[in-house]
Amino acid sequence: MALPTRGHVIIETTVGELDIELWSKETPKTCRNFIALAMEGYYDGVIFHRVVPDFLVQTGDRTGTGGGGESFYGEPFEDEIHPRLRYAHRGLVGMANNGVKDSNDSQFFFTLDRADELHGKHTLFGRCVGDTIFNVMKIGSMELDDDGRPLYPPKIKTIRIIDNPFEDIVPRITAAEKRAQHRAREQVQREREEEVRRKGAKKDTKLLSFQDDENGEEEPVVFKKKAIVRPDLVDNSEQLAVSINPDLTKQSSSSEIPTLKSHSELERENKNTDEKTAKPKKKESDSNSSVVGLREKYAKEQATAETERQQQISKLEKEIRKLDSKRAGGNSSDSEGDHKKKKAKRSYLEEELAKYEKTRGLKSKKDGKRKARDEGDVLAKMNAFKSKLKGSFLDDDEETPELETLEMKDVSGTNETIGGENAESAMEVDTDTGFLSHKLSFPKGNDEEVAKAERDYEVIDPRQRSARAKEEERERKKHARPKDGRRGYRR
């Protein structure tokens, strides 16, 4: 029988809750260390870093490597081995050490099965109770890597203390304060990273900014674009003015004045632009021709697909007409030809039934010849016999000679049918028809039978039989006692 516990905590994990009861009386130092670390929030966010199938699951290391951990006392503390606490089944909670004696810190484990090899080596300080043991088994059945670590390790969210057997514990820092410090550290780290990013970032003058800059106003960006001149679209080709689009430029300190170009300069520029645009035009023409070819190919494919679809539709309509004609009873010539070519296969059962139909009816042998009779004769004889039975119950006491004559005629007719025209003269004829009018009746008064049954009926009770045997044994021992008062049986 397990020892009584004092101390109760609930470990909230990503796979569910783990309800833990503590043996704080048998292992006070270990339980105090565990509860103090839980009050400080040390186990919050810690993963289950090790799983050994059918043996144990281990956690309690903030580094997640299995080589870290610290105790509430500031240094590793000694083992607390109790002789009545043994690793006899699954769901037990024990302390994990560094491989040597008295080296406990913050890591602990849950057993998944009986573990006799852990007796006397690891402190056993709690057990998992209730249905939460199945959450421990769920952790033990997770997918592992080559090092025995879960691929997707579960995590401890927090530990709620339900029953604290050590009310004098003063945590170095509470879990709420620790979470606040953690959030503050994260905020400071984010601000530092943001400041470094702002200092090291280069200013991109090509991008428009809708936010005021700390250093001052940005210089206006001037977009430069070459003028496009088409002399063939202008009436006066001698004088062409190059105009600048005011939307593409912004005002600057020095304003630009449009200049005039001569006709020869404009022709020279046009030649250069024509040479540059000659190759792209050829590419465009080739692409246009390829597009036309693709369109023609696509149109042909569409046409062939449409014809195939029409052929399939006509084929289906033809098959539907054939099925309709078969249902109506008028098979087409094609179906008749197929029916002639393909003969229906008959099963073994149908063949046996056909043989039975050929040899149906009773058969009799005479002079080595077998003659089949029609079943109609048998039915006629059965009906005649039925009428005899009905006639025999009309009057039980009166025997009419007419009935006997009718019976003789029927019997003689039957004999003639059985034997044929040349019946045997020496065949015996059964003329006793008294059994036809026999009735089964019972006497109304059955007092004698009841009395006989009560007299012959005997109830055998095995208890009475054993009591009777005991009584006989007692009488036998009483008669077997010696008369002189000595003990023992008389020989």
Side-chain angles (χ1 to χ4, degrees):
M1 184 177 179
L3 295 175
T5 58
R6 186 171 182 272
H8 187 195
V9 298
I10 294 178
I11 304 176
E12 296 182 1
T13 67
T14 54
V15 297
E17 294 183 349
L18 306 179
D19 198 352
I20 308 299
E21 292 182 353
L22 304 176
W23 282 297
S24 59
K25 184 179 178 181
E26 288 75 16
T27 58
K29 197 166 187 177
T30 305
C31 293
R32 180 183 288 270
N33 175 74
F34 179 75
I35 291 177
L37 293 177
M39 292 172 68
E40 293 179 355
Y42 180 85
Y43 294 114
D44 296 354
V46 177
I47 64 170
F48 287 83
H49 61 272
R50 183 189 179 198
V51 174
V52 182
D54 299 330
F55 185 51
L56 57 84
V57 294
Q58 188 170 337
T59 183
D61 181 12
R62 291 193 62 84
T63 63
T65 60
E70 59 176 330
S71 68
F72 176 69
Y73 308 108
E75 59 182 2
F77 58 94
E78 64 274 9
D79 297 330
E80 292 178 318
I81 307 299
H82 195 277
R84 294 189 62 185
L85 297 178
R86 303 179 67 84
Y87 294 93
H89 53 81
R90 63 184 181 181
L92 299 175
V93 188
M95 289 299 296
N97 52 31
N98 297 330
V100 296
K101 190 177 180 181
D102 299 335
S103 59
N104 301 302
D105 41 33
S106 63
Q107 296 190 37
F108 61 95
F109 59 85
F110 294 88
T111 60
L112 301 177
D113 202 350
R114 184 184 181 93
D116 295 334
E117 58 271 22
L118 301 179
H119 295 329
K121 298 179 181 178
H122 295 269
T123 303
L124 175 57
F125 68 96
R127 63 181 178 183
C128 185
V129 296
D131 294 338
T132 58
I133 184 65
F134 297 108
N135 294 331
V136 177
M137 303 306 294
K138 189 188 299 183
I139 298 173
S141 62
M142 286 187 170
E143 189 176 0
L144 309 177
D145 59 6
D146 297 336
D147 298 331
R149 294 172 58 89
L151 292 178
Y152 308 99
K155 187 183 295 184
I156 297 176
K157 295 179 180 180
T158 185
I159 297 180
R160 291 188 286 113
I161 301 174
I162 308 301
D163 181 15
N164 185 4
F166 307 102
E167 297 179 355
D168 57 336
I169 294 178
V170 179
R172 296 167 293 184
I173 184 173
T174 62
E177 294 174 354
K178 195 168 187 178
R179 285 193 291 269
Q181 288 182 1
H182 184 66
R183 286 194 296 268
R185 282 196 297 269
E186 288 181 350
Q187 182 66 22
V188 171
Q189 183 68 19
R190 282 196 297 268
E191 291 176 357
R192 189 181 295 110
E193 291 176 356
E194 183 67 19
E195 186 178 355
V196 171
R197 186 182 63 80
R198 287 179 180 177
K199 289 181 179 180
K202 293 183 179 181
K203 192 173 184 180
D204 193 358
T205 58
K206 295 180 180 180
L207 298 177
L208 296 176
S209 176
F210 298 96
Q211 187 177 3
D212 294 338
D213 194 0
E214 297 177 358
N215 299 329
E217 296 181 356
E218 295 181 356
E219 296 181 357
V221 181
V222 179
F223 295 92
K224 293 182 180 181
K225 191 174 182 181
K226 291 183 178 180
I228 300 173
V229 181
R230 293 291 301 273
D232 54 342
L233 299 178
V234 182
D235 295 338
N236 188 4
S237 61
E238 294 179 358
Q239 294 181 356
L240 295 174
V242 180
S243 61
I244 300 173
N245 192 352
D247 296 335
L248 300 178
T249 59
K250 295 183 179 180
Q251 293 181 356
S252 61
S253 60
S254 60
S255 61
E256 297 181 359
I257 302 172
T259 59
L260 297 176
K261 293 184 180 181
S262 63
H263 181 65
S264 61
E265 292 177 355
L266 293 174
E267 286 182 353
R268 196 179 299 111
E269 290 179 358
N270 291 334
K271 285 181 181 179
N272 294 331
T273 55
D274 292 339
E275 289 177 359
K276 290 179 181 179
T277 57
K279 292 182 180 180
K281 286 182 179 179
K282 288 182 181 179
K283 292 181 180 179
E284 289 178 0
S285 63
D286 294 339
S287 63
N288 291 334
S289 62
S290 62
V291 169
V292 172
L294 289 173
R295 288 179 178 175
E296 292 178 356
K297 187 177 180 181
Y298 179 73
K300 289 180 182 179
E301 290 178 356
Q302 290 290 336
T304 55
E306 187 67 25
T307 54
E308 289 178 358
R309 194 181 298 108
Q310 292 294 336
Q311 290 177 1
Q312 291 178 359
I313 291 171
S314 60
K315 190 175 181 181
L316 289 173
E317 289 178 352
K318 189 175 180 181
E319 291 179 357
I320 290 169
R321 286 196 295 271
K322 285 181 181 180
L323 291 173
D324 293 338
S325 62
K326 285 182 180 180
R327 290 177 181 175
N331 296 332
S332 61
S333 60
D334 297 338
S335 62
E336 288 177 358
D338 296 339
H339 183 69
K340 289 179 180 179
K341 289 179 181 179
K342 297 180 181 179
K343 294 182 180 180
K345 293 183 179 180
R346 301 177 65 184
S347 62
Y348 182 75
L349 178 62
E350 292 178 352
E351 292 178 357
E352 293 296 327
L353 289 175
K355 291 179 182 179
Y356 174 73
E357 290 293 338
K358 290 180 181 179
T359 59
R360 191 175 181 182
L362 298 175
K363 296 182 181 180
S364 61
K365 289 184 179 181
K366 187 177 180 182
D367 299 333
K369 297 180 180 180
R370 304 174 68 181
K371 295 182 180 181
R373 295 180 298 156
D374 190 8
E375 289 185 355
D377 298 340
V378 179
L379 294 175
K381 291 181 179 58
M382 291 177 67
N383 291 330
F385 184 73
K386 191 174 181 181
S387 62
K388 287 181 189 178
L389 292 176
K390 289 182 179 179
S392 62
F393 289 111
L394 294 177
D395 192 2
D396 297 338
D397 297 334
E398 298 179 359
E399 295 180 359
T400 58
E402 296 178 357
L403 182 60
E404 294 180 359
T405 307
L406 180 61
E407 292 172 358
M408 289 297 294
K409 288 181 180 180
D410 293 335
V411 173
S412 62
T414 305
N415 292 332
E416 289 178 1
T417 306
I418 295 172
E421 295 178 356
N422 299 323
E424 296 179 358
S425 58
M427 183 180 292
E428 296 182 358
V429 178
D430 188 5
T431 59
D432 187 9
T433 59
F435 70 94
L436 297 175
S437 61
H438 180 69
K439 286 185 177 181
L440 182 64
S441 61
F442 297 95
K444 294 182 179 179
N446 56 349
D447 297 336
E448 295 181 0
E449 297 293 333
V450 172
K452 183 179 180 182
E454 291 178 353
R455 184 175 61 255
D456 297 340
Y457 183 74
E458 181 181 0
V459 178
I460 299 174
D461 190 355
R463 294 177 298 179
Q464 293 181 357
R465 183 183 297 173
S466 62
R468 191 181 303 112
K470 289 180 181 179
E471 185 67 25
E472 292 177 357
E473 182 69 17
R474 195 180 298 111
E475 291 292 334
R476 187 177 65 80
K477 288 181 179 180
K478 185 178 180 180
H479 293 295
R481 288 177 183 175
K483 294 182 180 181
D484 54 358
R486 289 181 300 174
R487 295 182 181 182
Y489 291 95
R490 195 184 335 178
R491 296 181 181 177

